[in-house]
Amino acid sequence: KLDRLHPADIAYILEALPLDERIYVWDLIKSAERDGEILVEVSDAVRESLISSMDTDELVAVAETLEADELAAIAEDLPQEVMDDVFRSMPVDEREQLRAAMSFEEDMVGALMDFEDIQVRPDVTLEVVLRYLRRFDELPSQTDQVFVVDRDEMLLGALPIATLIVNDPETMVADVMRPPTVKLQQHEKADAAASAFERYDLVSAPVVDTNGRLVGRVTVDEVLDFVRQRGEEGVLAQAGLREEEDVFASVWKSFQNRWTWLAVNLMTAFFASRVIGAFEGSIAKLVALAALMPIVAGIGGNSGNQTITMIVRAVALGQVAREHANKLIRKELQVALLNGVIWGGVMGVVAMLLYKDVMLGVVMIMAMTLNLLLAALMGVLIPMTMMRTGRDPAVGSSVLITAVTDSGGFFIFLGLATIFLL
């Protein structure tokens, strides 16, 4: 059954198995080539567990089956002695490709790039191009165009496969080639590639160096993997997780991944409890405060998370810059004021009816409105400040906004109640 499955399907199965069963299934796969394809497909955390079960000779055999861009993607998980052996066994041109691929950070276009681009000259006929393509056993995946370069490999244009097929074979390439829809720089952020593929519905795009020389291409499958990974990282970051975690990881590994923001959360929760403690006398005199204050804090936390989610998404799409902060704050404060008046009014009426106290309802309206305003302000300032300091605005943002709205909500509500009711 394993032999008939696609490597991506086997990777999915391995990720869904506890560690001992995962290793048992992994040992049933005896093909070095398939092992390499599977290692590229599995998540980073699961890949570590699979690699740790293999000896050096096995890993070298697997690594030698991979293309340079695929090997670069898993290189940091492989032992150094394995990489040394692989380097020594590679041809010079592939060795240089691997070094180039490994030089890029994972959020750069170069990290998504492969070297399987097909190049043709502008001064040949389409018949020559067709004969050249027939020499391949198979075309590289996602080949929707070939790239036109001069003798110095400077990118001149692109020749879509559809254009190649429907035109007269005697036509010159220069007469039917098109300017590339987009030229990606190898050191620019991969987000730029993702945006270009989404905007122009691309299947592939050329990658050039700073001199305009063609060095590779990016394909839609790599961009899709990158977008999915960034989405998963964003979800994890908002929950305060440091990295992707194997569901079946050891207790110690899971603890290491989660403890940081839990510690931060513990400190903020303790601070919120001290805020409540400062008003113990007020709560003792008016028990209704204890029942109503979670509502004030909860609505503020929800509103703040909505604001942060919108800002983080806009930052990821490149729609927000630091100079937009003042406009965003004004807009979010207006939204918060409207929500505060409406929903604060609703809860104010409910509080009046429940506890037969008009002033308690007024305090409820004021507290909910002020906490929503605080949530809106911090919902913009937290991600924008993290962005200004060069940090990922998604990391731990939900923990921080919850801390602010809890402490602030308790303080505002109990403080107003102390002033106006007691």
Side-chain angles (χ1 to χ4, degrees):
K1 288 185 177 180
L2 289 171
D3 288 342
R4 293 195 297 270
L5 291 177
H6 189 280
D9 293 324
I10 297 177
Y12 179 82
I13 292 170
L14 292 172
E15 290 175 350
L17 291 174
L19 184 58
D20 54 343
E21 297 178 21
R22 178 186 303 158
I23 301 304
Y24 178 82
V25 172
W26 179 239
D27 288 340
L28 296 176
I29 305 163
K30 298 301 182 183
S31 166
E33 183 173 347
R34 281 173 66 79
D35 282 357
E37 295 172 342
I38 295 164
L39 285 177
V40 172
E41 293 287 345
V42 296
S43 64
D44 293 347
V46 172
R47 186 185 302 123
E48 289 180 18
S49 67
L50 298 178
I51 288 175
S52 65
S53 70
M54 303 170 70
D55 60 34
T56 300
D57 291 339
E58 287 179 310
L59 288 171
V60 171
V62 167
E64 288 176 344
T65 67
L66 298 175
E67 301 290 341
D69 57 301
E70 294 173 328
L71 184 53
I74 68 170
E76 65 179 18
D77 296 323
L78 294 173
Q80 187 59 48
E81 61 267 23
V82 172
M83 292 303 301
D84 292 340
D85 287 348
V86 173
F87 264 114
R88 284 193 292 267
S89 66
M90 295 179 81
V92 175
D93 56 340
E94 292 184 18
R95 192 181 307 162
E96 291 306 313
Q97 288 181 348
L98 178 57
R99 283 202 180 96
M102 292 177 62
S103 68
F104 300 108
E105 297 178 11
E106 62 179 14
D107 64 342
M108 289 182 176
V109 166
L112 306 182
M113 177 179 68
D114 69 50
F115 302 96
E116 295 184 314
D117 56 273
I118 299 177
Q119 304 176 10
V120 297
R121 299 277 190 267
D123 55 355
V124 300
T125 65
L126 299 186
E127 174 61 30
V128 172
V129 176
L130 287 167
R131 286 204 307 269
Y132 172 60
L133 294 181
R134 291 191 191 102
R135 294 170 57 190
F136 288 84
D137 293 331
E138 60 178 356
L139 293 180
S141 65
Q142 314 298 331
T143 299
D144 67 318
Q145 59 185 337
V146 297
F147 302 115
V148 185
V149 298
D150 62 17
R151 296 188 182 280
D152 296 321
E153 296 188 344
M154 303 293 288
L155 181 64
L156 303 177
L159 177 62
I161 296 297
T163 301
L164 173 64
I165 292 172
V166 301
N167 276 277
D168 186 341
E170 299 303 318
T171 306
M172 301 297 291
V173 169
D175 294 334
V176 292
M177 71 179 190
R178 303 174 183 174
T181 304
V182 63
K183 288 192 290 187
L184 301 171
Q185 297 285 333
Q186 58 184 346
H187 285 97
E188 69 180 318
K189 293 295 185 182
D191 289 326
S195 296
F197 271 71
E198 186 272 333
R199 185 179 304 121
Y200 303 117
D201 297 327
L202 301 178
V203 174
S204 68
V207 180
V208 298
D209 61 17
T210 53
N211 298 316
R213 181 171 162 270
L214 182 67
V215 292
R217 64 171 190 154
V218 172
T219 55
V220 65
D221 53 339
E222 292 294 334
V223 171
L224 183 58
D225 287 344
F226 170 77
V227 170
R228 187 191 67 175
Q229 182 181 357
R230 286 300 294 267
E232 292 173 351
E233 289 174 353
V235 172
L236 294 171
Q238 288 192 6
L241 293 171
R242 297 164 63 188
E243 60 186 20
E244 183 181 12
E245 181 182 309
D246 179 3
V247 165
F248 300 106
S250 68
V251 172
W252 179 245
K253 287 279 289 184
S254 296
F255 169 77
Q256 288 178 306
N257 189 34
R258 305 181 195 185
W259 76 269
T260 305
W261 283 100
L262 286 178
V264 173
N265 201 355
L266 179 62
M267 290 186 288
T268 58
F270 178 77
F271 180 76
S273 74
R274 290 299 82 212
V275 172
I276 296 173
F279 295 94
E280 285 179 352
S282 301
I283 296 172
K285 293 178 182 177
L286 188 57
V287 179
L289 300 180
L292 295 174
M293 65 183 183
I295 298 174
V296 176
I299 196 73
N302 195 353
S303 176
N305 273 310
Q306 288 178 338
T307 301
I308 276 190
T309 300
M310 292 297 298
I311 300 298
V312 169
R313 175 184 175 276
V315 169
L317 294 175
Q319 298 172 342
V320 170
R322 286 178 292 184
E323 55 268 23
H324 298 143
N326 290 336
K327 290 183 179 178
L328 288 171
I329 289 173
R330 285 197 297 271
K331 180 250 185 177
E332 291 300 325
L333 286 177
Q334 291 171 6
V335 174
L337 183 61
L338 182 59
N339 275 322
V341 171
I342 292 174
W343 300 114
V346 170
M347 281 310 304
V349 171
V350 171
M352 289 182 213
L353 296 175
L354 281 176
Y355 298 101
K356 306 297 189 291
D357 189 333
V358 174
M359 203 60 207
L360 178 60
V362 173
V363 167
M364 194 70 182
I365 296 171
M366 295 169 60
M368 285 187 63
T369 302
L370 289 175
N371 199 30
L372 284 170
L373 290 171
L374 174 65
L377 178 64
M378 300 309 297
V380 177
L381 287 181
I382 288 174
M384 297 302 282
T385 301
M386 296 176 79
M387 183 176 154
R388 187 182 295 272
T389 57
R391 298 177 180 274
D392 184 349
V395 176
S397 54
S398 63
V399 176
L400 294 176
I401 193 67
T402 301
V404 171
T405 54
D406 279 358
S407 301
F410 294 148
F411 181 79
I412 292 169
F413 180 58
L414 296 176
L416 289 173
T418 302
I419 294 171
F420 294 106
L421 300 177
L422 301 174

